[in-house]
Amino acid sequence: MKTKILSVAALALGLTAGCAFAQSSTVTGAAGGAVTGAVVGGPIGAAVGGVAGAIVGTAIDPPPQKVVTYVREQPLPEEGTVVRERVIVGRSLPDTIVVRAVPENPRYAYAIVNHERVIVEPSSRKVIQILN
């Protein structure tokens, strides 16, 4: 029984790492985690998976559509910043990248990196969404 609980907990933590880069809401994260946990570990797995999914969903909620629209409408500079590191949701941008505020919503900022528009959290510079 202990082995099964530990296996489910390890699976939930593994799912947390992979799901951290998905842009889902708390509800979607909790539901997805609970379903996966239930399939693998029954009722205990559902509980552990639901909690892990909810934590992941809370960490990276997508920005409002108004912010996405604003960032999409901003012109691309002739010479954009190119970095060797891959830009990944959940990771912070390097300090060398210029981050611009979203005037109507100070909770969000954006940058142009590797010819892509990226929405970030201003204080941590953590990538919230990559727009294509």
Side-chain angles (χ1 to χ4, degrees), residues 9-45:
L11 175 66
L13 289 174
L15 289 173
T16 301
C19 294
F21 300 115
Q23 298 171 358
S24 63
S25 68
T26 304
V27 174
T28 304
V35 169
T36 304
V39 168
V40 175
I44 294 172

PDB file of all heavy atoms in Angstrom, residues 9-45:
ATOM      1  N   ALA A   9       2.338   9.565  -5.620  1.00  0.00           N
ATOM      2  CA  ALA A   9       2.916  10.867  -5.279  1.00  0.00           C
ATOM      3  C   ALA A   9       4.038  11.229  -6.244  1.00  0.00           C
ATOM      4  O   ALA A   9       4.135  12.375  -6.701  1.00  0.00           O
ATOM      5  CB  ALA A   9       3.432  10.858  -3.840  1.00  0.00           C
ATOM      6  N   ALA A  10       4.890  10.265  -6.581  1.00  0.00           N
ATOM      7  CA  ALA A  10       5.975  10.523  -7.529  1.00  0.00           C
ATOM      8  C   ALA A  10       5.422  10.863  -8.907  1.00  0.00           C
ATOM      9  O   ALA A  10       5.905  11.780  -9.579  1.00  0.00           O
ATOM     10  CB  ALA A  10       6.904   9.310  -7.615  1.00  0.00           C
ATOM     11  N   LEU A  11       4.381  10.166  -9.314  1.00  0.00           N
ATOM     12  CA  LEU A  11       3.751  10.453 -10.597  1.00  0.00           C
ATOM     13  C   LEU A  11       3.163  11.859 -10.601  1.00  0.00           C
ATOM     14  O   LEU A  11       3.319  12.607 -11.563  1.00  0.00           O
ATOM     15  CB  LEU A  11       2.654   9.429 -10.907  1.00  0.00           C
ATOM     16  CG  LEU A  11       1.840   9.714 -12.176  1.00  0.00           C
ATOM     17  CD1 LEU A  11       2.755   9.582 -13.402  1.00  0.00           C
ATOM     18  CD2 LEU A  11       0.669   8.776 -12.286  1.00  0.00           C
ATOM     19  N   ALA A  12       2.501  12.222  -9.513  1.00  0.00           N
ATOM     20  CA  ALA A  12       1.905  13.561  -9.427  1.00  0.00           C
ATOM     21  C   ALA A  12       2.977  14.638  -9.509  1.00  0.00           C
ATOM     22  O   ALA A  12       2.805  15.655 -10.186  1.00  0.00           O
ATOM     23  CB  ALA A  12       1.106  13.701  -8.133  1.00  0.00           C
ATOM     24  N   LEU A  13       4.094  14.424  -8.838  1.00  0.00           N
ATOM     25  CA  LEU A  13       5.183  15.401  -8.920  1.00  0.00           C
ATOM     26  C   LEU A  13       5.763  15.457 -10.324  1.00  0.00           C
ATOM     27  O   LEU A  13       6.095  16.527 -10.829  1.00  0.00           O
ATOM     28  CB  LEU A  13       6.278  15.064  -7.898  1.00  0.00           C
ATOM     29  CG  LEU A  13       5.882  15.308  -6.449  1.00  0.00           C
ATOM     30  CD1 LEU A  13       6.982  14.795  -5.514  1.00  0.00           C
ATOM     31  CD2 LEU A  13       5.591  16.763  -6.186  1.00  0.00           C
ATOM     32  N   GLY A  14       5.860  14.315 -10.980  1.00  0.00           N
ATOM     33  CA  GLY A  14       6.341  14.299 -12.366  1.00  0.00           C
ATOM     34  C   GLY A  14       5.389  15.036 -13.286  1.00  0.00           C
ATOM     35  O   GLY A  14       5.796  15.778 -14.173  1.00  0.00           O
ATOM     36  N   LEU A  15       4.101  14.853 -13.082  1.00  0.00           N
ATOM     37  CA  LEU A  15       3.107  15.568 -13.883  1.00  0.00           C
ATOM     38  C   LEU A  15       3.179  17.060 -13.627  1.00  0.00           C
ATOM     39  O   LEU A  15       2.994  17.867 -14.529  1.00  0.00           O
ATOM     40  CB  LEU A  15       1.694  15.064 -13.556  1.00  0.00           C
ATOM     41  CG  LEU A  15       1.357  13.665 -14.043  1.00  0.00           C
ATOM     42  CD1 LEU A  15       0.001  13.236 -13.499  1.00  0.00           C
ATOM     43  CD2 LEU A  15       1.365  13.607 -15.555  1.00  0.00           C
ATOM     44  N   THR A  16       3.466  17.442 -12.380  1.00  0.00           N
ATOM     45  CA  THR A  16       3.570  18.857 -12.042  1.00  0.00           C
ATOM     46  C   THR A  16       4.664  19.519 -12.854  1.00  0.00           C
ATOM     47  O   THR A  16       4.472  20.604 -13.399  1.00  0.00           O
ATOM     48  CB  THR A  16       3.857  19.035 -10.535  1.00  0.00           C
ATOM     49  OG1 THR A  16       2.795  18.439  -9.808  1.00  0.00           O
ATOM     50  CG2 THR A  16       3.972  20.498 -10.171  1.00  0.00           C
ATOM     51  N   ALA A  17       5.813  18.884 -12.971  1.00  0.00           N
ATOM     52  CA  ALA A  17       6.910  19.474 -13.736  1.00  0.00           C
ATOM     53  C   ALA A  17       6.535  19.636 -15.202  1.00  0.00           C
ATOM     54  O   ALA A  17       6.774  20.674 -15.804  1.00  0.00           O
ATOM     55  CB  ALA A  17       8.161  18.604 -13.604  1.00  0.00           C
ATOM     56  N   GLY A  18       5.924  18.629 -15.786  1.00  0.00           N
ATOM     57  CA  GLY A  18       5.540  18.717 -17.196  1.00  0.00           C
ATOM     58  C   GLY A  18       4.408  19.689 -17.429  1.00  0.00           C
ATOM     59  O   GLY A  18       4.380  20.422 -18.408  1.00  0.00           O
ATOM     60  N   CYS A  19       3.460  19.703 -16.518  1.00  0.00           N
ATOM     61  CA  CYS A  19       2.289  20.567 -16.684  1.00  0.00           C
ATOM     62  C   CYS A  19       2.601  22.021 -16.360  1.00  0.00           C
ATOM     63  O   CYS A  19       1.841  22.907 -16.724  1.00  0.00           O
ATOM     64  CB  CYS A  19       1.147  20.090 -15.799  1.00  0.00           C
ATOM     65  SG  CYS A  19       0.502  18.483 -16.267  1.00  0.00           S
ATOM     66  N   ALA A  20       3.682  22.279 -15.646  1.00  0.00           N
ATOM     67  CA  ALA A  20       3.997  23.661 -15.270  1.00  0.00           C
ATOM     68  C   ALA A  20       4.167  24.541 -16.478  1.00  0.00           C
ATOM     69  O   ALA A  20       3.953  25.745 -16.409  1.00  0.00           O
ATOM     70  CB  ALA A  20       5.265  23.692 -14.417  1.00  0.00           C
ATOM     71  N   PHE A  21       4.509  23.961 -17.590  1.00  0.00           N
ATOM     72  CA  PHE A  21       4.708  24.765 -18.786  1.00  0.00           C
ATOM     73  C   PHE A  21       3.448  24.861 -19.634  1.00  0.00           C
ATOM     74  O   PHE A  21       3.412  25.592 -20.604  1.00  0.00           O
ATOM     75  CB  PHE A  21       5.870  24.218 -19.604  1.00  0.00           C
ATOM     76  CG  PHE A  21       7.138  24.233 -18.817  1.00  0.00           C
ATOM     77  CD1 PHE A  21       7.768  23.057 -18.477  1.00  0.00           C
ATOM     78  CD2 PHE A  21       7.670  25.424 -18.367  1.00  0.00           C
ATOM     79  CE1 PHE A  21       8.925  23.070 -17.725  1.00  0.00           C
ATOM     80  CE2 PHE A  21       8.822  25.443 -17.606  1.00  0.00           C
ATOM     81  CZ  PHE A  21       9.441  24.272 -17.295  1.00  0.00           C
ATOM     82  N   ALA A  22       2.428  24.122 -19.273  1.00  0.00           N
ATOM     83  CA  ALA A  22       1.167  24.249 -19.984  1.00  0.00           C
ATOM     84  C   ALA A  22       0.427  25.451 -19.419  1.00  0.00           C
ATOM     85  O   ALA A  22       0.547  25.769 -18.257  1.00  0.00           O
ATOM     86  CB  ALA A  22       0.335  22.976 -19.795  1.00  0.00           C
ATOM     87  N   GLN A  23      -0.334  26.117 -20.255  1.00  0.00           N
ATOM     88  CA  GLN A  23      -1.025  27.312 -19.795  1.00  0.00           C
ATOM     89  C   GLN A  23      -2.469  26.951 -19.504  1.00  0.00           C
ATOM     90  O   GLN A  23      -3.333  27.073 -20.358  1.00  0.00           O
ATOM     91  CB  GLN A  23      -0.909  28.417 -20.839  1.00  0.00           C
ATOM     92  CG  GLN A  23       0.523  28.793 -21.054  1.00  0.00           C
ATOM     93  CD  GLN A  23       0.707  29.710 -22.228  1.00  0.00           C
ATOM     94  OE1 GLN A  23      -0.229  30.056 -22.919  1.00  0.00           O
ATOM     95  NE2 GLN A  23       1.928  30.098 -22.456  1.00  0.00           N
ATOM     96  N   SER A  24      -2.718  26.472 -18.280  1.00  0.00           N
ATOM     97  CA  SER A  24      -4.052  26.036 -17.925  1.00  0.00           C
ATOM     98  C   SER A  24      -4.520  26.776 -16.692  1.00  0.00           C
ATOM     99  O   SER A  24      -3.736  27.330 -15.954  1.00  0.00           O
ATOM    100  CB  SER A  24      -4.059  24.535 -17.673  1.00  0.00           C
ATOM    101  OG  SER A  24      -3.228  24.236 -16.579  1.00  0.00           O
ATOM    102  N   SER A  25      -5.805  26.734 -16.458  1.00  0.00           N
ATOM    103  CA  SER A  25      -6.353  27.385 -15.277  1.00  0.00           C
ATOM    104  C   SER A  25      -6.346  26.416 -14.110  1.00  0.00           C
ATOM    105  O   SER A  25      -6.095  25.227 -14.258  1.00  0.00           O
ATOM    106  CB  SER A  25      -7.772  27.870 -15.551  1.00  0.00           C
ATOM    107  OG  SER A  25      -8.620  26.756 -15.703  1.00  0.00           O
ATOM    108  N   THR A  26      -6.679  26.933 -12.934  1.00  0.00           N
ATOM    109  CA  THR A  26      -6.711  26.109 -11.736  1.00  0.00           C
ATOM    110  C   THR A  26      -7.701  24.963 -11.883  1.00  0.00           C
ATOM    111  O   THR A  26      -7.409  23.826 -11.545  1.00  0.00           O
ATOM    112  CB  THR A  26      -7.099  26.972 -10.530  1.00  0.00           C
ATOM    113  OG1 THR A  26      -6.174  28.047 -10.448  1.00  0.00           O
ATOM    114  CG2 THR A  26      -7.067  26.185  -9.248  1.00  0.00           C
ATOM    115  N   VAL A  27      -8.880  25.242 -12.405  1.00  0.00           N
ATOM    116  CA  VAL A  27      -9.910  24.226 -12.540  1.00  0.00           C
ATOM    117  C   VAL A  27      -9.450  23.126 -13.490  1.00  0.00           C
ATOM    118  O   VAL A  27      -9.561  21.942 -13.195  1.00  0.00           O
ATOM    119  CB  VAL A  27     -11.231  24.856 -13.040  1.00  0.00           C
ATOM    120  CG1 VAL A  27     -12.265  23.784 -13.323  1.00  0.00           C
ATOM    121  CG2 VAL A  27     -11.746  25.839 -12.008  1.00  0.00           C
ATOM    122  N   THR A  28      -8.915  23.511 -14.641  1.00  0.00           N
ATOM    123  CA  THR A  28      -8.444  22.527 -15.613  1.00  0.00           C
ATOM    124  C   THR A  28      -7.303  21.711 -15.023  1.00  0.00           C
ATOM    125  O   THR A  28      -7.257  20.492 -15.190  1.00  0.00           O
ATOM    126  CB  THR A  28      -7.972  23.223 -16.900  1.00  0.00           C
ATOM    127  OG1 THR A  28      -9.050  24.018 -17.372  1.00  0.00           O
ATOM    128  CG2 THR A  28      -7.561  22.224 -17.946  1.00  0.00           C
ATOM    129  N   GLY A  29      -6.392  22.358 -14.338  1.00  0.00           N
ATOM    130  CA  GLY A  29      -5.256  21.650 -13.735  1.00  0.00           C
ATOM    131  C   GLY A  29      -5.712  20.651 -12.693  1.00  0.00           C
ATOM    132  O   GLY A  29      -5.247  19.515 -12.650  1.00  0.00           O
ATOM    133  N   ALA A  30      -6.656  21.057 -11.839  1.00  0.00           N
ATOM    134  CA  ALA A  30      -7.142  20.166 -10.792  1.00  0.00           C
ATOM    135  C   ALA A  30      -7.876  18.976 -11.389  1.00  0.00           C
ATOM    136  O   ALA A  30      -7.670  17.829 -10.984  1.00  0.00           O
ATOM    137  CB  ALA A  30      -8.058  20.930  -9.830  1.00  0.00           C
ATOM    138  N   ALA A  31      -8.726  19.244 -12.374  1.00  0.00           N
ATOM    139  CA  ALA A  31      -9.494  18.157 -12.999  1.00  0.00           C
ATOM    140  C   ALA A  31      -8.574  17.176 -13.714  1.00  0.00           C
ATOM    141  O   ALA A  31      -8.709  15.962 -13.572  1.00  0.00           O
ATOM    142  CB  ALA A  31     -10.511  18.731 -13.980  1.00  0.00           C
ATOM    143  N   GLY A  32      -7.631  17.699 -14.487  1.00  0.00           N
ATOM    144  CA  GLY A  32      -6.700  16.831 -15.212  1.00  0.00           C
ATOM    145  C   GLY A  32      -5.840  16.018 -14.277  1.00  0.00           C
ATOM    146  O   GLY A  32      -5.615  14.828 -14.484  1.00  0.00           O
ATOM    147  N   GLY A  33      -5.372  16.649 -13.207  1.00  0.00           N
ATOM    148  CA  GLY A  33      -4.553  15.936 -12.232  1.00  0.00           C
ATOM    149  C   GLY A  33      -5.337  14.848 -11.522  1.00  0.00           C
ATOM    150  O   GLY A  33      -4.840  13.748 -11.288  1.00  0.00           O
ATOM    151  N   ALA A  34      -6.590  15.144 -11.185  1.00  0.00           N
ATOM    152  CA  ALA A  34      -7.423  14.156 -10.489  1.00  0.00           C
ATOM    153  C   ALA A  34      -7.709  12.954 -11.376  1.00  0.00           C
ATOM    154  O   ALA A  34      -7.646  11.808 -10.925  1.00  0.00           O
ATOM    155  CB  ALA A  34      -8.736  14.803 -10.045  1.00  0.00           C
ATOM    156  N   VAL A  35      -8.014  13.195 -12.647  1.00  0.00           N
ATOM    157  CA  VAL A  35      -8.297  12.087 -13.571  1.00  0.00           C
ATOM    158  C   VAL A  35      -7.074  11.210 -13.740  1.00  0.00           C
ATOM    159  O   VAL A  35      -7.139   9.986 -13.645  1.00  0.00           O
ATOM    160  CB  VAL A  35      -8.792  12.622 -14.938  1.00  0.00           C
ATOM    161  CG1 VAL A  35      -8.828  11.514 -15.968  1.00  0.00           C
ATOM    162  CG2 VAL A  35     -10.153  13.264 -14.781  1.00  0.00           C
ATOM    163  N   THR A  36      -5.922  11.842 -13.981  1.00  0.00           N
ATOM    164  CA  THR A  36      -4.690  11.065 -14.159  1.00  0.00           C
ATOM    165  C   THR A  36      -4.355  10.280 -12.901  1.00  0.00           C
ATOM    166  O   THR A  36      -3.998   9.115 -12.957  1.00  0.00           O
ATOM    167  CB  THR A  36      -3.515  11.995 -14.531  1.00  0.00           C
ATOM    168  OG1 THR A  36      -3.880  12.722 -15.698  1.00  0.00           O
ATOM    169  CG2 THR A  36      -2.248  11.213 -14.771  1.00  0.00           C
ATOM    170  N   GLY A  37      -4.487  10.944 -11.746  1.00  0.00           N
ATOM    171  CA  GLY A  37      -4.198  10.269 -10.488  1.00  0.00           C
ATOM    172  C   GLY A  37      -5.133   9.103 -10.238  1.00  0.00           C
ATOM    173  O   GLY A  37      -4.727   8.054  -9.741  1.00  0.00           O
ATOM    174  N   ALA A  38      -6.415   9.252 -10.583  1.00  0.00           N
ATOM    175  CA  ALA A  38      -7.396   8.191 -10.362  1.00  0.00           C
ATOM    176  C   ALA A  38      -7.098   6.980 -11.226  1.00  0.00           C
ATOM    177  O   ALA A  38      -7.226   5.839 -10.785  1.00  0.00           O
ATOM    178  CB  ALA A  38      -8.805   8.707 -10.656  1.00  0.00           C
ATOM    179  N   VAL A  39      -6.679   7.222 -12.467  1.00  0.00           N
ATOM    180  CA  VAL A  39      -6.365   6.121 -13.374  1.00  0.00           C
ATOM    181  C   VAL A  39      -5.193   5.310 -12.825  1.00  0.00           C
ATOM    182  O   VAL A  39      -5.200   4.086 -12.839  1.00  0.00           O
ATOM    183  CB  VAL A  39      -6.046   6.648 -14.792  1.00  0.00           C
ATOM    184  CG1 VAL A  39      -5.446   5.563 -15.659  1.00  0.00           C
ATOM    185  CG2 VAL A  39      -7.302   7.209 -15.428  1.00  0.00           C
ATOM    186  N   VAL A  40      -4.200   6.006 -12.310  1.00  0.00           N
ATOM    187  CA  VAL A  40      -2.995   5.330 -11.849  1.00  0.00           C
ATOM    188  C   VAL A  40      -3.133   4.776 -10.436  1.00  0.00           C
ATOM    189  O   VAL A  40      -2.744   3.661 -10.158  1.00  0.00           O
ATOM    190  CB  VAL A  40      -1.777   6.293 -11.926  1.00  0.00           C
ATOM    191  CG1 VAL A  40      -0.549   5.659 -11.331  1.00  0.00           C
ATOM    192  CG2 VAL A  40      -1.529   6.684 -13.357  1.00  0.00           C
ATOM    193  N   GLY A  41      -3.724   5.574  -9.533  1.00  0.00           N
ATOM    194  CA  GLY A  41      -3.698   5.168  -8.129  1.00  0.00           C
ATOM    195  C   GLY A  41      -5.023   5.115  -7.423  1.00  0.00           C
ATOM    196  O   GLY A  41      -5.059   5.118  -6.202  1.00  0.00           O
ATOM    197  N   GLY A  42      -6.125   5.116  -8.132  1.00  0.00           N
ATOM    198  CA  GLY A  42      -7.426   5.036  -7.485  1.00  0.00           C
ATOM    199  C   GLY A  42      -7.778   6.311  -6.745  1.00  0.00           C
ATOM    200  O   GLY A  42      -7.313   7.394  -7.100  1.00  0.00           O
ATOM    201  N   PRO A  43      -8.585   6.204  -5.682  1.00  0.00           N
ATOM    202  CA  PRO A  43      -9.050   7.400  -4.971  1.00  0.00           C
ATOM    203  C   PRO A  43      -7.917   8.233  -4.365  1.00  0.00           C
ATOM    204  O   PRO A  43      -7.954   9.452  -4.397  1.00  0.00           O
ATOM    205  CB  PRO A  43      -9.941   6.838  -3.869  1.00  0.00           C
ATOM    206  CG  PRO A  43     -10.305   5.465  -4.300  1.00  0.00           C
ATOM    207  CD  PRO A  43      -9.191   4.990  -5.182  1.00  0.00           C
ATOM    208  N   ILE A  44      -6.912   7.585  -3.823  1.00  0.00           N
ATOM    209  CA  ILE A  44      -5.788   8.333  -3.242  1.00  0.00           C
ATOM    210  C   ILE A  44      -5.038   9.063  -4.350  1.00  0.00           C
ATOM    211  O   ILE A  44      -4.675  10.217  -4.206  1.00  0.00           O
ATOM    212  CB  ILE A  44      -4.837   7.391  -2.463  1.00  0.00           C
ATOM    213  CG1 ILE A  44      -5.562   6.819  -1.244  1.00  0.00           C
ATOM    214  CG2 ILE A  44      -3.574   8.129  -2.037  1.00  0.00           C
ATOM    215  CD1 ILE A  44      -4.813   5.743  -0.515  1.00  0.00           C
ATOM    216  N   GLY A  45      -4.856   8.415  -5.478  1.00  0.00           N
ATOM    217  CA  GLY A  45      -4.194   9.048  -6.618  1.00  0.00           C
ATOM    218  C   GLY A  45      -4.977  10.238  -7.125  1.00  0.00           C
ATOM    219  O   GLY A  45      -4.414  11.253  -7.513  1.00  0.00           O
TER     220      GLY A  45
END
